[in-house]
Amino acid sequence: MKRTIICISILLLTLGAYAQRISNSLYFLPEWSKRYTLNAAFAPEYGFFTLPGLGGLGLNVSAGLGLSNLIYPYGDEYVTFMHNSVDADRFLDGLDPVSSVTQGLSVDLLSFGFFTKKRGFFSFDMSLKEGLGVHLPKDLLGLMKKGMSTSTNVYDLHELSLWQSNYLQVAAGYSHDITDRIRIGITAKFLAGLSTERIHYDRFNVMLNDDHFTVDAQGEAAVYTDLLSVGTDEEGYLNFTDVGFALNSFMPAGMGFAFDLGVTYKPIDHLTLAAGINDLGMMRWKGSTMTKGVTTGNVDFKGFTNLEIDNVGSSTEEQLNQLKEDAMELIRFKRVDDSNDFDEFLPFTMNLSAEYSIFNRTDHDISVGLLYQMYNTPLSRMSHDLVAALTFRIFRWMSLSGTCELLHGDYNRFGMALNISPKGFNFFVASDLFVNHLNPQFIPIDKTRLNLRIGTAFSFGK
């Protein structure tokens, strides 16, 4: 039993370790050097520059499944959801229609920003970004748990999918005051795609009944990159275990662009309203860099004929081999020639916020804030967050902000950020939703969301 729990833990950790989201805890820290990345109209309180690789590291993880969904107490021990003591309806009612596990990683390579004499602010950033996501339909786990629970059982698995992307981003931004109370900003981003991989099914139906079972599936797998090569076996099927480096070209596999737009408004001295949209754009992946495979499988099993019980003869062996081959057709992707470009819209984020400063001072202050965020995932699933924040400006050079997610009670919901900005230097660290229920192996017990960001910068000017 212990081995089973550890295996499931490793599975969850592997999926969760591999969607760029903002760090909500940093949103209300005006002295943070790179606050403009959250809203193009925001500007820090000074100019800055960073050293390569030290400007910031961001990690985002979201897991719609936890050990509590898969492991249940049974007397003095624990059993998996497959145990007959676990009620099937109770197990499935605790799952979302599609359980998503996503991850994003961002590494800042170079950044700097400076003010003009008229309070305009220029910024430049270069960073590497990576993201991965897995979608698991409820029916997949329902098939495992219920199987032949009634005379006719139908399962739809077509939302089973996986995606992964890597790209280089170069961004240049500018913001300035329209009036004493209104500030606007825009950031233009150029994207150089390094690689992307996608596996999805247009159709994946499973039907089980007393007489026979049928499985009908159609899907495709596509890899766009000049940096890697995917091998094929002797029958022409893609072999994802045979992947090697193939530096055929230094040109990117995809090109794209995006924009960040932002505006802030102070209707009164103590209140600041802000609206922004980030990563509004698209990417085009070149068909000339694509390796593509398709699968079309149909299994119709009505039982064995002429079954030889005492000795597995040639007839029985042939039927077993045929069943195995039919089943493998569902998950093997045969390579096909395709050179069509692939266009995709980028996952974007929209932010609306209000912040009220109690004392409206730059040396010591307390403020309360509310942030609404709408995030569109790479597979077009909308996510909505509402975050309350309490920020303490302890000294002119030190601020601490705490946040609480208000909409998602089934996730860990608290976060905290610290920004230290003595003269000439800036250090920041933030973790959204940092309070989590972990097992002894540090695997999340419940559904999990985590946004972690840390970095340094050197400041100059006023």
Side-chain angles (χ1 to χ4, degrees), residues 182-236:
I182 300 177
R183 186 177 184 87
I184 62 172
I186 183 172
T187 299
K189 300 177 179 180
F190 168 75
L191 311 176
L194 304 179
S195 67
T196 187
E197 304 82 36
R198 292 157 192 278
I199 298 176
H200 74 275
Y201 286 88
D202 299 317
R203 185 177 70 252
F204 203 140
N205 300 315
V206 179
M207 185 177 71
L208 311 176
N209 59 38
D210 293 336
D211 299 324
H212 67 284
F213 69 77
T214 61
V215 183
D216 180 32
Q218 177 178 307
E220 69 175 41
V223 179
Y224 295 81
T225 184
D226 268 339
L227 303 178
L228 301 172
S229 64
V230 180
T232 57
D233 61 21
E234 56 187 16
E235 298 180 65

Coordinates of all heavy atoms in Angstrom, one line a residue, residues 182-236:
I182 N -4.4 60.5 -14.3 CA -4.5 59.4 -15.2 C -3.2 59.1 -15.8 O -2.4 60.0 -16.3 CB -5.5 59.7 -16.3 CG1 -6.9 60.0 -15.8 CG2 -5.6 58.6 -17.4 CD1 -7.9 60.5 -16.8
R183 N -2.8 57.8 -15.8 CA -1.6 57.3 -16.4 C -1.9 56.2 -17.3 O -2.7 55.3 -17.0 CB -0.6 56.9 -15.3 CG 0.8 56.6 -15.8 CD 1.8 56.3 -14.7 NE 3.1 56.0 -15.2 CZ 4.1 56.9 -15.4 NH1 3.8 58.2 -15.2 NH2 5.2 56.6 -15.9
I184 N -1.2 56.1 -18.5 CA -1.4 55.0 -19.4 C -0.1 54.4 -19.8 O 1.0 55.0 -19.6 CB -2.1 55.5 -20.7 CG1 -1.3 56.5 -21.5 CG2 -3.5 56.0 -20.4 CD1 -1.8 56.9 -22.8
G185 N -0.1 53.1 -20.2 CA 1.1 52.5 -20.6 C 0.8 51.4 -21.7 O -0.3 50.9 -21.8
I186 N 1.9 51.1 -22.4 CA 1.8 50.0 -23.4 C 3.2 49.3 -23.4 O 4.2 49.9 -23.3 CB 1.4 50.5 -24.8 CG1 1.3 49.4 -25.8 CG2 2.4 51.6 -25.3 CD1 0.8 49.8 -27.1
T187 N 3.1 48.0 -23.6 CA 4.3 47.2 -23.8 C 4.2 46.3 -25.0 O 3.2 45.6 -25.1 CB 4.6 46.3 -22.5 OG1 4.8 47.1 -21.4 CG2 5.8 45.4 -22.7
A188 N 5.2 46.4 -25.9 CA 5.2 45.5 -27.1 C 6.1 44.4 -26.9 O 7.3 44.6 -26.4 CB 5.6 46.3 -28.3
K189 N 5.7 43.2 -27.2 CA 6.5 42.0 -27.0 C 6.7 41.2 -28.3 O 5.8 41.0 -29.1 CB 5.8 41.0 -26.0 CG 5.6 41.7 -24.7 CD 4.8 40.7 -23.7 CE 4.6 41.3 -22.4 NZ 3.8 40.4 -21.5
F190 N 8.0 40.8 -28.5 CA 8.3 40.0 -29.7 C 8.6 38.6 -29.1 O 9.4 38.4 -28.1 CB 9.6 40.5 -30.4 CG 10.1 39.5 -31.4 CD1 9.5 39.3 -32.6 CD2 11.3 38.8 -31.1 CE1 10.0 38.3 -33.5 CE2 11.8 37.9 -32.0 CZ 11.2 37.7 -33.2
L191 N 8.1 37.5 -29.7 CA 8.2 36.2 -29.2 C 8.9 35.3 -30.2 O 8.5 35.3 -31.4 CB 6.9 35.6 -28.9 CG 5.9 36.4 -28.0 CD1 4.6 35.7 -27.9 CD2 6.5 36.7 -26.7
A192 N 9.9 34.6 -29.8 CA 10.7 33.6 -30.7 C 10.4 32.3 -30.1 O 10.9 31.9 -29.0 CB 12.1 34.0 -30.7
G193 N 9.6 31.5 -30.8 CA 9.3 30.1 -30.3 C 10.4 29.1 -30.5 O 10.9 29.0 -31.6
L194 N 10.8 28.5 -29.4 CA 11.8 27.5 -29.5 C 11.2 26.1 -29.8 O 11.8 25.3 -30.6 CB 12.6 27.4 -28.2 CG 13.2 28.8 -27.7 CD1 13.9 28.6 -26.4 CD2 14.2 29.3 -28.8
S195 N 10.1 25.7 -29.1 CA 9.5 24.4 -29.4 C 8.1 24.4 -28.8 O 7.8 25.2 -27.8 CB 10.3 23.3 -28.8 OG 10.3 23.4 -27.3
T196 N 7.3 23.6 -29.3 CA 5.9 23.3 -28.7 C 5.5 21.9 -29.1 O 5.8 21.5 -30.2 CB 4.9 24.4 -29.2 OG1 3.7 24.1 -28.4 CG2 4.6 24.2 -30.7
E197 N 4.9 21.3 -28.2 CA 4.4 19.9 -28.4 C 3.0 19.8 -27.9 O 2.6 20.3 -26.9 CB 5.3 18.9 -27.6 CG 6.7 18.9 -27.9 CD 7.5 20.0 -27.1 OE1 7.1 20.2 -26.0 OE2 8.4 20.6 -27.7
R198 N 2.1 19.1 -28.7 CA 0.7 19.0 -28.4 C 0.2 17.6 -28.7 O 0.5 17.1 -29.8 CB -0.1 20.0 -29.1 CG 0.2 21.4 -28.6 CD -0.1 22.5 -29.7 NE 0.5 23.8 -29.2 CZ -0.1 24.6 -28.3 NH1 -1.3 24.3 -27.8 NH2 0.5 25.7 -28.0
I199 N -0.6 17.0 -27.8 CA -1.3 15.8 -28.0 C -2.7 16.0 -27.6 O -3.0 16.4 -26.5 CB -0.6 14.6 -27.2 CG1 0.8 14.4 -27.6 CG2 -1.4 13.3 -27.4 CD1 1.5 13.3 -26.8
H200 N -3.6 15.7 -28.5 CA -5.0 15.8 -28.2 C -5.9 14.9 -29.0 O -5.4 14.4 -30.1 CB -5.5 17.2 -28.4 CG -5.7 17.6 -29.8 ND1 -4.7 18.1 -30.6 CD2 -6.8 17.6 -30.6 CE1 -5.1 18.4 -31.8 NE2 -6.4 18.0 -31.9
Y201 N -7.1 14.6 -28.6 CA -8.0 13.7 -29.3 C -9.2 14.4 -29.7 O -9.8 15.2 -28.9 CB -8.4 12.5 -28.4 CG -7.3 11.5 -28.2 CD1 -6.3 11.6 -27.2 CD2 -7.2 10.4 -29.0 CE1 -5.3 10.7 -27.0 CE2 -6.2 9.4 -28.8 CZ -5.2 9.6 -27.8 OH -4.2 8.7 -27.7
D202 N -9.6 14.3 -30.9 CA -10.9 14.9 -31.4 C -12.0 13.9 -31.0 O -13.2 14.4 -30.9 CB -10.9 15.0 -32.9 CG -9.8 16.0 -33.4 OD1 -9.6 17.0 -32.7 OD2 -9.1 15.7 -34.4
R203 N -11.7 12.7 -30.8 CA -12.7 11.7 -30.5 C -12.1 10.5 -29.7 O -11.1 10.0 -30.1 CB -13.4 11.1 -31.8 CG -14.6 10.2 -31.6 CD -15.2 9.7 -32.9 NE -14.3 8.8 -33.6 CZ -13.7 9.2 -34.8 NH1 -13.8 10.4 -35.2 NH2 -12.9 8.3 -35.4
F204 N -12.7 10.2 -28.6 CA -12.2 9.1 -27.8 C -13.4 8.5 -27.0 O -13.6 8.9 -25.8 CB -11.1 9.5 -26.9 CG -10.1 8.4 -26.5 CD1 -8.8 8.6 -26.4 CD2 -10.6 7.2 -26.1 CE1 -7.9 7.6 -26.0 CE2 -9.8 6.1 -25.7 CZ -8.4 6.3 -25.7
N205 N -14.1 7.6 -27.6 CA -15.3 7.1 -26.9 C -15.1 5.6 -26.5 O -14.6 4.8 -27.3 CB -16.5 7.2 -27.9 CG -16.8 8.6 -28.3 OD1 -16.8 9.5 -27.4 ND2 -17.0 8.8 -29.6
V206 N -15.5 5.3 -25.3 CA -15.4 3.9 -24.8 C -16.8 3.5 -24.4 O -17.5 4.2 -23.6 CB -14.5 3.8 -23.6 CG1 -14.4 2.4 -23.1 CG2 -13.1 4.3 -24.0
M207 N -17.3 2.3 -24.9 CA -18.6 1.8 -24.5 C -18.4 0.3 -24.1 O -17.8 -0.5 -24.9 CB -19.6 1.9 -25.7 CG -21.0 1.4 -25.3 SD -22.2 1.6 -26.6 CE -21.7 0.3 -27.7
L208 N -18.9 0.0 -22.9 CA -18.8 -1.4 -22.4 C -20.3 -1.8 -22.1 O -21.0 -1.1 -21.5 CB -18.0 -1.4 -21.1 CG -16.7 -0.7 -21.1 CD1 -16.1 -0.7 -19.7 CD2 -15.7 -1.3 -22.1
N209 N -20.6 -3.0 -22.6 CA -21.8 -3.6 -22.2 C -21.7 -5.1 -22.0 O -20.5 -5.7 -22.1 CB -23.0 -3.3 -23.2 CG -22.6 -3.8 -24.6 OD1 -22.0 -4.9 -24.8 ND2 -23.0 -3.0 -25.6
D210 N -22.7 -5.8 -21.7 CA -22.7 -7.2 -21.4 C -22.2 -8.1 -22.6 O -21.5 -9.1 -22.4 CB -24.0 -7.7 -21.0 CG -24.5 -7.1 -19.6 OD1 -23.6 -6.7 -18.9 OD2 -25.7 -7.1 -19.4
D211 N -22.4 -7.7 -23.8 CA -22.1 -8.5 -25.0 C -20.7 -8.2 -25.5 O -20.0 -9.1 -26.0 CB -23.1 -8.3 -26.1 CG -24.5 -8.6 -25.7 OD1 -24.7 -9.6 -24.9 OD2 -25.5 -8.0 -26.1
H212 N -20.3 -6.9 -25.5 CA -19.0 -6.6 -26.1 C -18.6 -5.2 -25.7 O -19.4 -4.5 -25.0 CB -19.0 -6.7 -27.6 CG -19.9 -5.6 -28.3 ND1 -21.3 -5.7 -28.3 CD2 -19.6 -4.5 -28.9 CE1 -21.8 -4.7 -28.9 NE2 -20.8 -3.9 -29.3
F213 N -17.4 -4.8 -26.0 CA -17.0 -3.4 -25.7 C -16.4 -2.8 -27.0 O -15.8 -3.6 -27.8 CB -16.0 -3.3 -24.5 CG -14.7 -3.9 -24.7 CD1 -13.7 -3.2 -25.5 CD2 -14.3 -5.1 -24.2 CE1 -12.4 -3.7 -25.7 CE2 -13.0 -5.6 -24.3 CZ -12.1 -5.0 -25.1
T214 N -16.5 -1.5 -27.2 CA -16.0 -0.8 -28.3 C -15.2 0.4 -27.9 O -15.6 1.1 -26.9 CB -17.1 -0.4 -29.3 OG1 -18.0 0.5 -28.7 CG2 -17.8 -1.6 -29.8
V215 N -14.2 0.7 -28.6 CA -13.4 1.9 -28.3 C -13.1 2.6 -29.7 O -12.7 1.9 -30.6 CB -12.1 1.6 -27.6 CG1 -11.3 2.9 -27.3 CG2 -12.3 0.8 -26.3
D216 N -13.5 3.8 -29.8 CA -13.3 4.5 -31.1 C -12.6 5.8 -30.8 O -13.1 6.7 -30.0 CB -14.7 4.8 -31.7 CG -14.5 5.6 -33.0 OD1 -13.6 5.4 -33.7 OD2 -15.5 6.4 -33.3
A217 N -11.4 6.0 -31.4 CA -10.6 7.2 -31.1 C -10.0 7.8 -32.3 O -9.6 7.1 -33.3 CB -9.5 6.9 -30.1
Q218 N -9.8 9.1 -32.3 CA -9.0 9.8 -33.4 C -8.3 11.0 -32.7 O -9.0 11.8 -32.1 CB -10.0 10.3 -34.5 CG -9.3 11.1 -35.6 CD -10.2 11.5 -36.7 OE1 -11.0 10.6 -37.2 NE2 -10.3 12.7 -37.0
G219 N -7.0 11.1 -33.0 CA -6.3 12.2 -32.4 C -5.0 12.5 -33.1 O -4.7 11.8 -34.1
E220 N -4.2 13.4 -32.7 CA -3.0 13.7 -33.3 C -2.0 14.3 -32.3 O -2.3 14.8 -31.2 CB -3.2 14.8 -34.4 CG -3.6 16.2 -34.0 CD -3.6 17.1 -35.1 OE1 -4.1 16.8 -36.2 OE2 -3.2 18.3 -35.0
A221 N -0.7 14.1 -32.7 CA 0.4 14.7 -31.9 C 1.3 15.5 -32.8 O 1.5 15.1 -34.0 CB 1.2 13.5 -31.3
A222 N 1.7 16.6 -32.4 CA 2.5 17.5 -33.3 C 3.6 18.1 -32.4 O 3.4 18.6 -31.3 CB 1.7 18.6 -33.9
V223 N 4.8 18.1 -33.0 CA 6.0 18.8 -32.4 C 6.6 19.8 -33.4 O 6.9 19.4 -34.5 CB 7.1 17.7 -32.0 CG1 8.3 18.4 -31.4 CG2 6.5 16.6 -31.1
Y224 N 6.7 21.0 -32.9 CA 7.3 22.1 -33.8 C 8.6 22.5 -33.1 O 8.6 23.1 -32.1 CB 6.3 23.3 -33.8 CG 5.0 23.1 -34.5 CD1 4.0 22.5 -33.8 CD2 4.8 23.5 -35.8 CE1 2.7 22.3 -34.5 CE2 3.6 23.3 -36.5 CZ 2.6 22.7 -35.8 OH 1.3 22.5 -36.4
T225 N 9.7 22.2 -33.8 CA 11.0 22.6 -33.3 C 12.1 22.2 -34.3 O 11.9 21.3 -35.0 CB 11.3 22.0 -31.9 OG1 12.6 22.5 -31.4 CG2 11.4 20.5 -32.0
D226 N 13.1 23.0 -34.3 CA 14.4 22.7 -35.0 C 15.5 22.2 -34.1 O 16.6 21.9 -34.5 CB 14.9 23.9 -35.8 CG 14.3 23.9 -37.2 OD1 13.9 22.8 -37.7 OD2 14.3 24.9 -37.9
L227 N 15.2 22.2 -32.8 CA 16.2 21.9 -31.8 C 16.2 20.4 -31.4 O 17.1 19.9 -30.9 CB 16.0 22.8 -30.5 CG 16.0 24.3 -30.7 CD1 15.7 25.0 -29.4 CD2 17.3 24.7 -31.3
L228 N 15.0 19.7 -31.6 CA 14.9 18.4 -31.2 C 14.4 17.5 -32.4 O 13.8 18.1 -33.3 CB 13.9 18.2 -30.1 CG 14.2 18.9 -28.8 CD1 13.0 18.8 -27.8 CD2 15.5 18.4 -28.2
S229 N 14.7 16.3 -32.4 CA 14.2 15.3 -33.4 C 13.5 14.2 -32.7 O 14.0 13.7 -31.7 CB 15.4 14.8 -34.3 OG 16.3 14.0 -33.5
V230 N 12.3 13.8 -33.3 CA 11.6 12.7 -32.7 C 11.7 11.5 -33.7 O 11.4 11.6 -34.9 CB 10.1 13.1 -32.6 CG1 9.3 11.9 -32.0 CG2 10.0 14.3 -31.6
G231 N 12.2 10.4 -33.2 CA 12.4 9.2 -34.0 C 11.1 8.5 -34.3 O 10.0 8.7 -33.8
T232 N 11.2 7.6 -35.3 CA 10.0 6.7 -35.6 C 10.5 5.3 -35.6 O 11.7 5.0 -35.8 CB 9.5 7.1 -37.0 OG1 10.6 7.0 -38.0 CG2 8.9 8.5 -37.1
D233 N 9.6 4.4 -35.3 CA 9.9 2.9 -35.4 C 9.9 2.4 -36.8 O 9.6 3.1 -37.7 CB 9.1 2.1 -34.4 CG 7.6 2.2 -34.8 OD1 7.3 2.5 -36.0 OD2 6.7 1.9 -33.9
E234 N 10.1 1.1 -36.9 CA 10.2 0.5 -38.3 C 8.8 0.5 -39.0 O 8.8 0.4 -40.2 CB 10.7 -0.9 -38.2 CG 9.9 -1.8 -37.3 CD 10.5 -3.2 -37.1 OE1 11.7 -3.3 -37.4 OE2 9.8 -4.1 -36.6
E235 N 7.7 0.7 -38.3 CA 6.4 0.8 -38.9 C 6.0 2.2 -39.1 O 4.9 2.4 -39.6 CB 5.4 0.1 -38.0 CG 5.6 -1.4 -37.8 CD 4.6 -2.0 -36.9 OE1 3.4 -2.0 -37.3 OE2 4.9 -2.4 -35.7
G236 N 6.8 3.2 -38.8 CA 6.5 4.6 -39.1 C 5.8 5.3 -38.0 O 5.3 6.4 -38.2

